[in-house]
Amino acid sequence: MKTLITALLLSAATASYAAPVDPYGYKLPPSMQTKKKKAEPKKKAAPAVDYVGEYVNFGDWKDVRAFLDDVAARNGFNRDELNALMAQVRYVDATVQLVKPAPPGKPKNWQAYSKLMIDPVRIDAGVKFWNDNSEALNRAESLYGVPAEILVGIIGVETVYGRNTGRFRVLDALTTLAFSYPEAPQRRERMEFFRGELEATLLFARQSGIDPLSLKGSFAGAIGMPQFMPSSLMKYAVDFDGNGKIDLLNSSTDAIGSVAAFLVGHGWERGQGGPLVYAANVSPNRAWETMLNQGLTAKYRTPELTAAGVTATTPVPEQQTYGLVDLQNGADPTEYWLANNNFFAITQYNRSYFYAMSVVELGRAVRLARGGAPAPAVTSGM
């Protein structure tokens, strides 16, 4: 998922965009508008892979052999076939470098981040995606209770509607990270996570009748338009187009239904109504600071928030619970928001306030560009 930011920085395509009027007073960032339409550069044929894999004979590694023994015994795989498969897997240093924590540098800046994630290219692509997939989006909204604009926002943020799905072989990326994760806090836990994802990849490939080496994805092994990790694919992906197979790379319909199923499986509540987030003011006494970083959950009721000095800039439903979200803006003042449970369901997709807020705002911007005005996902008080 994180590869998308880099990919977007390299994108030179821009498109014309006229800012619509939002009936709820939400102001679109200037980055969503351009004065002139520029010609898109000619696309070059994408290489089969975007990295150089190194043969290291993973099959000789003690930990790999133990893993394969366990996977074969637990799942009924032929051990010789696993050996033959592992002989074709390559070590990819690029994945190791990309998972390393970013060096200390500039403070987090929501406004800068949002300009990358909510731009004319994504908005125009989102309008086309919504128009082309309106039936599937309406059906997913009806079945799962997740608004179309949230589904559009997630797929847009993840891969610009399938444009940037990654070209790493999933087995290469996952094996490298499962057995050669860089030195970092919780290294052992991260390696166990990727070993679980490697096993899920093998199971999915067998279940689907495909060559596991044919699966391509991100540097961390995420697959398809919605960038599902293999375990999420196994648990939440659905055959939403009814053709008898799950294809998150080529089927927009499967991607839409699968994202909706994932959100419901991670706490999305049907029928909450109203925005997912409300702009808030905080008092100088800073008693509210204890409400920050309390996990990705909405746990406070409005009387508790008010007592701590947090007030929404517009009325909020008092029957709901909220979490206090801080969006840092570098040297500029931090923004504070009250977020409900459905906002935090989005953070289960990517554990970042910036990510969830960009999903909300991109989906809303695409809806406005189409001329629609259903219930708002964000109330800014502007």
Side-chain angles (χ1 to χ4, degrees):
M1 298 179 187
K2 294 179 181 176
T3 54
L4 293 180
I5 296 176
T6 302
L8 289 172
L9 287 171
L10 297 176
S11 174
T14 58
S16 61
Y17 180 74
V21 176
D22 176 23
Y24 298 100
Y26 172 69
K27 295 181 180 179
L28 298 176
S31 61
M32 296 181 188
Q33 308 172 35
T34 56
K35 295 181 179 179
K36 296 180 180 179
K37 184 173 182 178
K38 298 180 180 179
E40 293 189 6
K42 293 182 179 180
K43 295 182 179 179
K44 296 181 179 180
V49 293
D50 56 2
Y51 63 91
V52 176
E54 176 187 355
Y55 178 69
V56 297
N57 197 2
F58 276 115
D60 283 346
W61 293 20
K62 179 180 178 181
D63 285 351
V64 174
R65 292 199 305 270
F67 169 80
L68 295 178
D69 286 341
D70 187 42
V71 167
R74 187 167 54 250
N75 301 296
F77 283 104
N78 181 291
R79 187 66 174 79
D80 291 336
E81 291 179 357
L82 289 180
N83 285 342
L85 180 65
M86 193 57 59
Q88 301 176 69
V89 174
R90 297 293 183 263
Y91 173 91
V92 186
D93 185 64
T95 67
V96 175
Q97 300 306 318
L98 286 166
V99 298
K100 289 181 178 179
K106 295 181 180 179
K108 294 180 180 179
N109 190 315
W110 159 243
Q111 292 300 326
Y113 180 93
S114 66
K115 287 179 182 178
L116 289 175
M117 308 308 286
I118 310 162
D119 66 352
V121 171
R122 269 199 175 89
I123 293 169
D124 285 348
V127 169
K128 184 179 187 305
F129 181 85
W130 196 326
N131 291 339
D132 291 346
N133 296 280
S134 59
E135 185 278 331
L137 288 164
N138 291 338
R139 185 156 51 92
E141 184 167 343
S142 176
L143 180 63
Y144 293 103
V146 181
E149 66 185 80
I150 297 300
L151 303 175
V152 169
I154 285 179
I155 296 173
V157 168
E158 289 294 338
T159 61
V160 197
Y161 309 102
R163 294 186 186 184
N164 302 317
T165 58
R167 292 188 296 272
F168 287 85
R169 290 199 310 187
V170 171
L171 280 189
D172 291 347
L174 292 178
T175 303
T176 300
L177 296 175
F179 299 100
S180 190
Y181 198 88
E183 291 297 331
Q186 299 182 319
R187 177 175 183 264
R188 174 53 56 183
E189 290 83 352
R190 298 305 296 163
M191 291 173 72
E192 287 299 324
F193 167 78
F194 283 109
R195 291 178 193 187
E197 296 302 328
L198 178 56
E199 181 175 1
T201 302
L202 297 172
L203 290 169
F204 173 72
R206 182 174 69 178
Q207 174 182 297
S208 304
I210 62 176
D211 178 359
L213 289 168
S214 70
L215 290 168
K216 302 283 175 52
S218 74
F219 72 88
I223 297 170
M225 279 185 269
Q227 293 288 273
F228 272 21
M229 293 301 290
S231 62
S232 291
L233 195 159
M234 290 287 290
K235 188 172 183 179
Y236 299 107
V238 296
D239 174 21
F240 207 52
D241 61 15
N243 70 349
K245 64 179 181 179
I246 295 171
D247 185 354
L248 300 186
L249 182 62
N250 300 300
S251 173
S252 298
T253 302
D254 284 359
I256 288 165
S258 298
V259 171
F262 179 96
L263 290 175
V264 170
H266 287 82
W268 185 279
E269 298 177 8
R270 176 191 292 270
Q272 278 202 353
L276 273 64
V277 289
Y278 298 81
N281 294 321
V282 293
S283 64
N285 65 22
R286 308 192 74 82
W288 43 268
E289 284 188 334
T290 59
M291 294 180 166
L292 294 172
N293 303 314
Q294 292 299 305
L296 301 176
T297 182
K299 59 191 297 185
Y300 300 109
R301 296 202 173 272
T302 50
E304 298 175 89
L305 292 161
T306 301
V310 182
T311 55
T313 59
T314 57
V316 302
E318 294 193 0
Q319 71 274 17
Q320 295 183 18
T321 54
Y322 301 92
L324 182 59
V325 169
D326 57 332
L327 300 181
Q328 300 170 41
N329 280 313
D332 294 327
T334 296
E335 298 177 25
Y336 295 95
W337 298 80
L338 296 181
N340 67 16
N341 274 315
N342 285 347
F343 178 89
F344 287 106
I346 299 173
T347 66
Q348 300 304 314
Y349 210 105
N350 182 313
R351 300 173 70 85
S352 162
Y353 291 160
F354 280 17
Y355 175 86
M357 195 68 171
S358 67
V359 164
V360 169
E361 292 201 354
L362 176 61
R364 184 176 176 79
V366 172
R367 171 178 59 75
L368 291 173
R370 294 182 75 242
V378 55
T379 293
S380 67
M382 294 181 180

